[in-house]
Amino acid sequence: MTRVIQTAAVLEELFGPVAAPSLQKEVATLHPVYQRWTAASPFAVLATSGPAGLDASPRGDPASLVHIQDERTLLLPERRGNNRTDSLRNILHCPQVGLLFFVPGVNETLRVAGRARILVGAELVQRFAVAGQPPKCVLEITVDTAFFQCGRAILRSGLWAGAERVDVPSAGEMLQAITAGQVNALQYDAELPQRQQSTLY
């Protein structure tokens, strides 16, 4: 019989407890190890919410896609597109945003949640000009939380099959840095492939 899950308690019973590293990796700033990772990302999906509902749309540029102003602030240029401005209209209504960063060849992704403002100004947009073309505006994103997502979804999809891996911190290296050494990077990374394969489905 099919049933609808309606409480967090039932959901937790279905999935089981959260592993310690899954909680340890979430921080309230863009940790330096996450800054290294974000700097290598040329592509992200931006999630927003507005009167018409939710939206997720792609953003891409030569890495680094975003400029890291400080550990709490990212600047994301808004390039020309189809002029629907769905994401921007949503931000005017609700500033809360989510970003999912990808690095080619890397199975982990980076999740960032925060609040966005739409900035304009000749000097600001000129900083992000590509081939002489500045963006229309720049999103200033204040980081509330950041953490990396394990690579199972990418592994299942085969998204990077045959792609050359970009050199960014590994899952173990990120956890070791964020936990100030509580997690051993070499051990974590050595055990990760087998753990992921055994829990892929």
Side-chain angles (χ1 to χ4, degrees), residues 2 21 55 60 62 100 106 112 116-117 123:
T2 301
D55 182 69
L100 182 64
V106 178
V112 173
R117 299 192 304 168
E123 184 176 340

Side-chain angles (χ1 to χ4, degrees), residues 150-167:
C150 79
R152 289 183 183 86
I154 303 296
L155 286 169
R156 293 181 193 120
S157 69
L159 182 63
W160 303 130
E164 184 176 341
R165 188 184 193 280
V166 175
D167 184 23

Side-chain angles (χ1 to χ4, degrees), residues 69-172:
Q69 186 159 291
D70 56 50
E71 65 177 10
R72 291 295 309 278
T73 313
L74 297 174
L75 298 178
L76 173 62
E78 276 288 316
R79 308 290 178 191
R80 61 176 295 179
N82 56 19
N83 293 335
R84 284 181 54 105
T85 62
D86 296 311
S87 300
L88 302 181
R89 292 175 186 272
N90 282 350
I91 289 168
L92 292 175
H93 175 79
C94 175
Q96 291 179 303
V97 298
L99 283 162
L100 182 64
F101 290 95
F102 293 78
V103 174
V106 178
N107 292 329
E108 288 74 30
T109 52
L110 187 71
R111 294 167 59 174
V112 173
R115 291 155 286 123
R117 299 192 304 168
I118 305 169
L119 306 182
V120 292
E123 184 176 340
L124 174 65
V125 297
Q126 198 57 45
R127 286 173 52 191
F128 297 94
V130 173
Q133 295 295 320
K136 297 291 187 180
C137 58
V138 174
L139 296 185
E140 179 192 68
I141 298 165
T142 300
V143 176
D144 290 329
T145 61
F147 62 96
F148 74 89
Q149 178 75 37
C150 79
R152 289 183 183 86
I154 303 296
L155 286 169
R156 293 181 193 120
S157 69
L159 182 63
W160 303 130
E164 184 176 341
R165 188 184 193 280
V166 175
D167 184 23
V168 293
S170 67

